[in-house]
Amino acid sequence: MDASSINTVDLSSFREAFLEYTEKHSRKPVPTDHILVMVYDYIGQIKNGKQVLLPKVIDDIRTKSDRKNITSKENLPVAYFSVQKFNGRKTDQNVVRHTGLFIVDIDKNKNLGVDMPQLKKDLIADKYTCICFTSPNGGIKVVVNTNITSIEHHDAFYESLKDYYLTNFNIKEVDTSGSNVARACFLPYDPGCYYNSHSHRYCLDINQINTIYANTLNNKILHKHSKLLLQVNSISLDEHYDNIMNLLKKWTDVGIYSNIFNVYRYKNMGKDIMSTSVPFLEFIIAMHTYPYRLDWSTRLDEGYFKDNPNKPISTDSIEGLDGMEVCEIVLPKSHVIKEHYRAKTLGSITMKLIFNNPFCHVDYLINAVKMINFYYCEDPNPGGNPKPDDAEVTKIVLDNYRKFLNGELDFSKVIRKKSKKDEISKKYVFWSRHHKSTDSKTRQLEATRTFHDTRNTKKYKIFTEAIQMLQDGKRITQKRIADYMGVSTRTVRRHLTPEFVEIITSYNITIVDLSHRHIVNMSNPHVSI
């Protein structure tokens, strides 16, 4: 057959028709009863989550009536509807596979005046609704199945879904906290929980995804790191963990806050801290997120006190450490924060608290500063110039915490300095927080003795090294020792023990004797030494 007689087709048109058909077909109902999602017994559970089939999750919401007696939602089980499996902690970075499900959170408090029962009926009638139930606070949770194929497209799908619900339903605002892949959803008791295992999939093609990124997500992506919401209570433990991880990444990349994150304040910090296989990181963040009490003074890591927690330690006894930069908050009972210095002082106290408690959840810091404001800030003119209220205190703390997470907080303003000089005053002796209480004078005396004993031991080693190195055929003098050690001759005289004087004198006499014998030998070559 002649090739010219073969019928040809427009391949580009055929491809477009095929894609159009595939796209239409993909929107048809797809079963979801085989999907596995990650479920944990409570929000604070770090490990041992279970993969649970979606119908089982729904059945528990409908039948577990004991959940209605749980007063704190933090004690309710949680599901991660978008996550089929985590590789480590419950963070976006550790999501192994996306389930295709998205959760849309409609907060009752952000939709005042909306008829929530009617809204729930409207949502249940929508073809894309896979699951719909009432949340613990009276809002509505909607779960939608999608055709997402890459975790990296999660943001685009979420933005599109948010626009869809705001456009087609009587909703004023959608809670944007659900934009995270690893977003926890509390599982309440709702016997009327709706589940459609064959709901339509919400589909986007690659062109739509790229358009969403170009139009709406650029600014969000630039500011995604160090997420900080104005509603403090909405920062979950996982989001707090992400904040700290992003901050530690900046520390490892560019070395910020080296006076906070180091092996002296956190002994295991020298390990591969960014590896999820290191249990230290999970442990230290969990332990310090809501500590038993905040540190009002900078501390040495407790690991240094394991041999004797009742004995102070001098930094001179730790290799590579010559004192530590510290922040101290001292507020006697009679202290008063004057009217015109309230905001500035509260800001400084916030910075000190962050310096001493860098892993602490921000709402704990806010409560501490609120307490200080209540007890110590004077209020002589409540009508004309009242002291900061809770909202103002919250703003002061959040402004400083935001700078901290971005690596922009300048702690040099609050680090302890010498009283008459603009020079950092390092701390050299530290106590364990677990030492048995003694009166302050006894502690001070023992700390002073420890400091001088350690210093003297260190000076003795340096003196010994100096005397050995300076035995080079020249006389050893106080000036040469001082130059070698980088101290004054006065310091040398203060530390010259009889033992050192005897060694130096003996060496100098030997030098003079050898020099004299050399002169005699040169004048009479026949005289042997």
Side-chain angles (χ1 to χ4, degrees), residues 458-474:
K458 192 174 183 180
K459 283 285 195 314
Y460 182 87
K461 292 180 180 178
I462 298 175
F463 258 86
T464 303
E465 177 188 341
I467 292 171
Q468 290 174 348
M469 296 300 295
L470 293 175
Q471 293 182 23
D472 54 0
K474 300 178 182 179

Side-chain angles (χ1 to χ4, degrees), residues 430-449:
F430 292 84
W431 288 84
S432 166
R433 61 163 51 86
H434 303 301
H435 77 275
K436 294 180 180 178
S437 299
T438 55
D439 63 272
S440 58
K441 288 186 178 180
T442 303
R443 282 203 309 270
Q444 182 63 36
L445 286 172
E446 190 166 352
T448 303
R449 187 182 303 113

Side-chain angles (χ1 to χ4, degrees), residues 228 240 354 360 362 397-405:
L228 185 64
H240 172 70
I354 294 173
C360 183
V362 66
V397 178
L398 286 178
D399 286 345
N400 282 285
Y401 193 72
R402 183 181 294 109
K403 291 179 182 177
F404 172 61
L405 294 178

Side-chain angles (χ1 to χ4, degrees), residues 231-370:
Q231 297 297 326
V232 180
N233 291 331
S234 63
I235 299 182
S236 69
L237 294 176
D238 289 332
E239 290 166 341
H240 172 70
Y241 180 88
D242 288 342
N243 283 342
I244 298 300
M245 286 296 294
N246 288 327
L247 185 60
L248 290 175
K249 188 175 188 306
K250 293 176 184 177
W251 168 68
T252 56
D253 290 346
V254 298
I256 62 169
Y257 303 144
S258 59
N259 53 358
I260 297 178
F261 303 117
N262 54 61
V263 296
Y264 309 115
R265 291 188 57 180
Y266 302 99
K267 199 170 183 180
N268 293 320
M269 193 67 81
K271 296 183 179 179
D272 185 12
I273 193 167
M274 299 311 294
S275 171
T276 55
S277 64
V278 179
F280 159 75
L281 188 57
E282 292 186 1
F283 173 74
I284 197 170
I285 295 179
M287 183 175 65
H288 293 284
T289 295
Y290 290 103
Y292 173 70
R293 60 184 177 188
L294 290 172
D295 284 331
W296 290 50
S297 297
T298 309
R299 291 188 174 277
L300 197 65
D301 189 276
E302 286 298 316
Y304 292 100
F305 299 94
K306 63 180 181 180
D307 294 331
N308 190 351
N310 293 316
K311 184 178 180 181
I313 290 180
S314 171
T315 57
D316 288 331
S317 65
I318 301 174
E319 184 178 355
L321 181 59
D322 183 25
M324 275 177 53
E325 297 178 359
V326 298
C327 286
E328 296 177 329
I329 302 173
V330 181
L331 294 172
K333 290 183 179 180
S334 58
H335 185 75
V336 175
I337 300 176
K338 297 296 183 180
E339 177 182 2
H340 298 292
Y341 299 95
R342 292 177 302 209
K344 182 178 180 180
T345 303
L346 292 176
S348 296
I349 290 174
T350 298
M351 292 175 67
K352 291 180 179 181
L353 285 173
I354 294 173
F355 186 90
N356 294 333
N357 306 272
F359 296 103
C360 183
H361 197 287
V362 66
D363 64 352
Y364 202 173
L365 301 177
I366 289 174
N367 290 334
V369 179
K370 284 180 179 179

Side-chain angles (χ1 to χ4, degrees), residues 382-419:
N385 185 25
K387 71 177 183 180
D389 58 19
D390 285 353
E392 291 172 302
V393 172
T394 299
K395 184 178 185 307
I396 290 171
V397 178
L398 286 178
D399 286 345
N400 282 285
Y401 193 72
R402 183 181 294 109
K403 291 179 182 177
F404 172 61
L405 294 178
N406 290 331
E408 302 168 353
L409 198 57
D410 183 9
F411 288 107
S412 64
K413 300 175 182 178
V414 295
I415 288 175
R416 190 178 73 175
K417 293 182 173 62
K418 295 181 179 178
S419 57

